[in-house]
Amino acid sequence: MTDPNAIQPSELDQLPDRDPEETAEWQASLDAVTKAAGPHRAAYLMRRTLERAEGAGIALPKLLETDYVNSIPTSAEPAVPGDEAMEQRITAWNRWNAAAMVTRGSKYGVGGHIATFASAAWLYETGFNHFFKGKEADGSGDQLYIQGHASPGIYARAFLDGRLNEEQLDNFRREAGGNGLPSYPHPRRLPWLWEFPTVSMGLGPLSAIYQARFNRYLANRGIKDTAGSHVWAFLGDGEMDEPESTAALALAAREELDNLTFVINCNLQRLDGPVRANFKIVQELEAQFRGAGWNVVKTLWGTAWDELFQLDTTGALVRRLRQVPDAQIQTYQTRDAAYIRQDFFGGDPALVEMAKLLSDDKILECFHLSRGGHEARKVFAAYKAAVEHKGAPTVILAQTVKGHTLGEGFASKNANHQMKKLSVDEFKNMRDLLELPIKDSDFVDGVVPYGHPGADSPEVRYLQERRAALGGPAPARRVHPVAPLPAPAEKAFASFDKGSGSQNVATTMAFVRLVKDLVRDKETGKRWVPIVPDEARTFGMESLFPSLGIYSPKGQTYEPVDRDQLMYYKEAQNGQILNEGITEAGSMADFIAASTSYATHGEAMIPFYIFYSMFGWQRTADQMWQLGDQLGRGFLVGATAGRTTLTGEGLQHADGHSPVIAATNPAALSYDPAFAYEVATIVKDGLRRMYGEAAPGEDQNVFYYLTVYNEPMPQPAKPSVDGVDEGIVKGLYRFNTAESAGITPPANAPRIQLLGSGTAIHWALKAQQLLAEEWGVAADVWSATSWSELRRDALEADEALLRGEERVPFVRQALQGAEGPVLAVSDYMRQVPDQIAQWVEQDWSSLGADGFGLSDTREAARRHFGVDAESIVVAALAQLAKRGEVKATAVKEAREKYGL
């Protein structure tokens, strides 16, 4: 039977062979080696030949996987500068205090993680002593993405450095009192220390890539020299299962981001057990990163293994290491020498002979203790190779033991991620192992003491001297004193106040037109960062292509197919637009990097990210929470908004709930503007608050979410009455009354207040006419630009009342004296306007587009959801009928008249 996997002659014929005789000789040589020395020797020669070809620049598919050994041989390791013994003592103190902090906090039941930092301690310490540049260095220093579960070790080092005290360590995970430490890296909670939130797994690696990319963007646009900044992302091997962790690997390689290093702590364990129980996560990650174009450095084995590799004259040891699955390596960590002799060495005669030359102590040293990630020399060599590599980002795969130095009860145990404390006896064993000068008498009432060699000790002086040489403490977040950005010329905003006349204009187009004017501003124009996920033409932004250019580090190496057109596709090395392709997650990572540049680089940038509204909060709400944590500033724009406004696209495109999700984010100011002048007013106020002179008590560290629509409508002039701008910003103002709309209602006509947001206000205005002309009802129309801001203001008023302060919510102030009931309507689910119902004194009802969206015309969709003008009329009559202000029969008559 023919092997279905074998290459058939017809396939071979597709590869032209200029010298079949030479090819046959090579094949015969391979066959001879296989027969004489075995398939392992043949495979070895093939791998070395492929490596030689790659090194010589011969165009071959990349070799994706190497042996399960260190990439840098011991003979090629550089000497570690500084005092390794001193660094060993510093690391010992950090290990102790990290474990003590979590253990002491366990009595409050607040949790914490010990095992992660125990495995990664040298990965951090080597960087802090030799590589990580601080904020006082040239440029902006390095950007450090710390693995969230390792935060106790970072706090421990800050304690040793004098940046934290014992009281703060004792308040780990107890922040309510005001002097606590957050569980993980949270800039909003500890803004002088943490720069980047990372514990929502997968977002750290994604953000790190786009931060490195944004550093290059700033440099290529001439805004700041970031050549001295390097991005370091510390990740877990289990974390790499998150799709976001590997989503942008190709981007990093494609743009040659050699200012980026991933350090993956391969302790082979995730939260519940092995990362790849039956496989090898290091080999899998190596192939994945190499395939994406990254430089890979494996740091797997410590110096104790050197003797074993020297004895491996047949390659049997290397072959066995490739065969053993990760879960078995984890098991070796917990078993005695006899078990390891039998299970690891016993299956191969060459390994049996090798084991005879090894003492039990040597075997246990290798399999229990000696990992590349636990030795300063191995880690230093990997880091030095990473920062010196040019043309591609580097990933360091560092093998460690989870729970290293914490004792047999912790090391490599499946449950160690959930183990929150050590016993006193375990601490004493740890003290002896780490050789720390802590006495038994220091354990008072069974409480483990913190350890500190003294502020003027050699350890602390060494630590501080190393940090001073590298540019100051790290990690650290610095907001440089930067003058507020000047406000753009008033003309850019005022042009929208007069309306569009007879021209129909969608609010999406109004926003794009406003941005076009703002990027021309001489003072602030260059600071705008337009971000779009491959939908610029959908939003009418193609006119920005030739004027601003699309950012590409290689510029434009081709002639665009539309070069003869006015709005041709222009890429440029100094391009301003970030067009990310079809990746909302990548676009959000861009936005986060740009929105926090005021702190990271001391350069205030003004990002706006415009997207299909359905694909913003629904897809990337976790990153928007990250954005709030990281204190980002800028404009998120949900375009083609609403459940009924986007015709024909259907269920997965029709957004009826993004304002609900946005309302859950404390840093998001969510607006649903109806008219172009409202868009301009909101953007103007956002620029003032985030980048200019914020009012007393205003938090600058917010971001704006605007929904804009793709339905061309007449854009009215801004009403020339007092309080309109205040109402737009605070969330509600009266757009017109029945009388100001040119309607003359009958004397003593029943009256109702119609509140509409976004495109729904047009249905309310039509309903206003129908109510007057066909039912004798006077309706006033209000524009509710932000339901959520009205709610927040009302909640703050409630809190003030509890403190004994008299304060009336703005929504109640605005509607004070308004006659009749209130009917609210939006193109979103009713939950959106219902946010403010409890603070409205008038009778309340609402309409909305609840349920899944559907494909149809706008008119049909609005009739389906019961939010069109005729549905508003029926709902208004029903409210008035309840109050006895219209006949009950009017409701039935209206339903029949309008076919509802």
Side-chain angles (χ1 to χ4, degrees), residues 603-625:
E603 295 287 347
M605 304 300 288
I606 311 172
F608 78 87
Y609 165 33
I610 187 167
F611 50 86
Y612 257 94
S613 65
M614 186 68 158
F615 304 144
W617 289 90
Q618 177 162 302
R619 285 197 177 183
T620 58
D622 195 10
Q623 288 178 281
M624 292 164 179
W625 196 262

Side-chain angles (χ1 to χ4, degrees), residues 789-807:
E789 285 305 293
L790 292 172
R791 177 179 175 81
R792 283 181 182 163
D793 172 80
L795 289 172
E796 290 172 5
D798 286 354
E799 292 172 6
L801 284 174
L802 293 176
R803 296 192 300 268
E805 303 171 16
E806 287 292 331
R807 180 175 162 190

Side-chain angles (χ1 to χ4, degrees), residues 4 22 26 34 50 206 252 254 283 291 364 392 398 464-465 473 482 528 560 589 616-617 631 784 873:
E22 183 183 40
W26 276 78
T34 304
L50 288 171
L206 180 69
R254 184 170 63 246
Q283 300 300 88
L364 293 179
Q464 293 175 340
E465 287 168 2
V482 178
W528 283 86
W617 289 90
L631 309 173
V873 170

Side-chain angles (χ1 to χ4, degrees), residues 297-333:
V297 177
K298 294 199 295 194
T299 302
L300 308 181
W301 306 111
T303 53
W305 282 82
D306 289 349
E307 180 183 341
L308 274 68
F309 288 123
Q310 289 171 3
L311 295 173
D312 186 29
T313 58
T314 65
L317 176 62
V318 173
R319 291 198 299 274
R320 182 64 178 140
L321 289 173
R322 286 175 61 87
Q323 295 166 356
V324 178
D326 284 352
Q328 192 64 22
I329 288 180
Q330 182 182 343
T331 297
Y332 293 148
Q333 175 69 31

Side-chain angles (χ1 to χ4, degrees), residues 650-786:
L651 186 149
Q652 285 195 310
H653 286 66
D655 172 22
H657 54 278
S658 67
V660 176
I661 309 175
T664 66
N665 190 309
L669 278 62
S670 177
Y671 287 89
D672 187 25
F675 304 122
Y677 67 79
E678 293 178 354
V679 173
T681 302
I682 293 165
V683 171
K684 178 182 176 182
D685 189 69
L687 290 172
R688 174 200 63 79
R689 177 170 178 174
M690 294 185 291
Y691 300 97
E693 296 285 358
E698 274 188 327
D699 184 2
Q700 281 191 287
N701 299 316
V702 295
F703 60 93
Y704 283 63
Y705 175 55
L706 280 72
T707 48
V708 293
Y709 296 82
N710 71 327
E711 184 175 13
M713 300 292 288
Q715 296 296 329
K718 181 189 288 189
S720 55
V721 294
D722 292 339
V724 171
D725 283 0
E726 180 189 25
I728 292 172
V729 172
K730 289 190 172 181
L732 183 68
Y733 69 98
R734 182 156 48 196
F735 176 71
N736 69 17
T737 63
E739 292 77 10
S740 67
I743 298 168
T744 306
N748 301 318
R751 187 174 289 267
I752 189 168
Q753 309 298 317
L754 302 179
L755 277 59
S757 67
T759 195
I761 204 168
H762 298 286
W763 322 329
L765 290 169
K766 182 179 177 183
Q768 180 187 50
Q769 295 289 331
L770 293 175
L771 283 166
E773 295 169 3
E774 301 182 5
W775 305 99
V777 172
D780 300 339
V781 176
W782 299 69
S783 179
T785 53
S786 180

